[in-house]
């Protein structure tokens, strides 16, 4: 048996992560520009975003984890409400869904890769930090969605305000 040498590219391929960001950006642009109208923006948009997130982002991992435990994806719940509740109980996933939904409600929002990076960063910061410093647009979105109340996180406007919140 020969030994196998693992390289950094075997463990982590940054090009795959970059391609995922580009693919997600194209999806969000297409959804915003061609598939959403006022009916969807003011209706069950969150369900659309959640279903897309569950299918494209969580499906493979959930399938693998549930299969390892002798369970099936149907075990997530019988109704849409049960499946929605399951996904929304995952703090980081909830942040992604709420921030994406908030952005898609704004018909004039122009999606950029920075939006996706901000959402990813906030999905880790909001549920697990006591203080989160974000740019003005991201901060406003977190406040508008109520995520700051849900996770009991302070969202200061400036670095000085953030510094004042850190115990000495």
């Amino acid at each position: 048996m020969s030994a196998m040498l693992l390289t950094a590219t075997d463990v982590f391929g940054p090009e795959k992560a970059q391609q995922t960001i580009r693919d997600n950006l194209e999806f969000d642009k297409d959804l915003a520009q061609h598939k959403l109208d006022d009916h969807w923006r003011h209706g069950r948009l969150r369900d659309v975003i959640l279903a897309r997130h569950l299918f494209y982002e969580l499906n493979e991992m959930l399938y693998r984890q549930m299969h390892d435990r002798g369970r099936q994806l149907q075990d997530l719940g019988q109704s849409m409400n049960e499946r929605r509740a399951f996904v929304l109980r995952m703090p980081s996933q909830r942040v992604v869904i709420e921030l994406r939904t908030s952005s898609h409600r704004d018909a004039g929002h122009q999606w950029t890769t920075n939006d996706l990076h901000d959402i990813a960063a906030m999905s880790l910061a909001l549920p697990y930090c006591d203080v989160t410093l974000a740019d003005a647009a991201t901060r406003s979105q977190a406040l508008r969605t109520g995520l700051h109340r849900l996770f009991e996180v302070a969202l200061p406007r400036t670095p000085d305000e953030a510094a004042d919140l850190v115990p000495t």
Side-chain angles (χ1 to χ4, degrees):
M1 186 185 297
S2 63
M4 183 171 28
L5 177 65
L6 291 178
T7 66
T9 57
D10 292 327
V11 177
F12 174 71
E15 56 283 340
K16 184 175 180 185
Q18 292 165 353
Q19 185 60 50
T20 298
I21 289 287
R22 287 191 296 270
D23 291 346
N24 282 336
L25 178 62
E26 289 310 310
F27 174 86
D28 283 311
K29 282 182 173 180
D30 182 59
L31 183 63
Q33 295 169 359
H34 304 293
K35 300 206 170 52
L36 293 179
D37 57 20
D38 283 341
H39 169 77
W40 282 108
R41 287 189 202 289
H42 300 293
R44 296 182 58 196
L45 177 60
R46 183 177 180 221
D47 286 343
V48 171
I49 301 300
L50 188 143
R52 184 260 180 213
H53 189 71
L54 180 60
F55 184 78
Y56 288 105
E57 306 296 334
L58 301 177
N59 197 28
E60 184 179 329
M61 182 258 322
L62 280 174
Y63 173 80
R64 207 173 39 249
Q65 293 299 319
M66 293 185 79
H67 180 266
D68 290 351
R69 290 161 177 78
R71 312 236 6 228
Q72 298 180 356
L73 287 175
Q74 292 83 351
D75 295 333
L76 295 179
Q78 298 304 309
S79 70
M80 180 62 183
N81 286 340
E82 290 172 335
R83 292 181 192 128
R84 179 187 310 115
F86 172 81
V87 174
L88 295 178
R89 282 192 301 270
M90 294 183 269
S92 290
Q93 305 311 314
R94 181 162 194 159
V95 171
V96 170
I97 291 161
E98 299 297 349
L99 293 180
R100 265 196 152 120
T101 300
S102 177
S103 291
H104 277 294
R105 286 207 192 283
D106 177 4
H109 184 77
Q110 298 296 312
W111 283 88
T112 67
T113 55
N114 190 59
D115 295 321
L116 300 177
H117 289 296
D118 286 346
I119 289 170
M122 294 301 275
S123 76
L124 299 175
L126 289 174
Y128 306 110
C129 296
D130 294 325
V131 178
T132 299
L133 188 61
D135 64 33
T138 304
R139 178 182 180 275
S140 174
Q141 207 174 29
L143 292 170
R144 189 171 50 252
T145 58
L147 290 168
H148 66 298
R149 286 188 304 274
L150 177 66
F151 296 115
E152 299 177 358
V153 59
L155 292 168
R157 284 187 174 88
T158 66
D160 287 339
E161 285 182 19
D164 291 343
L165 294 170
V166 177
T168 55

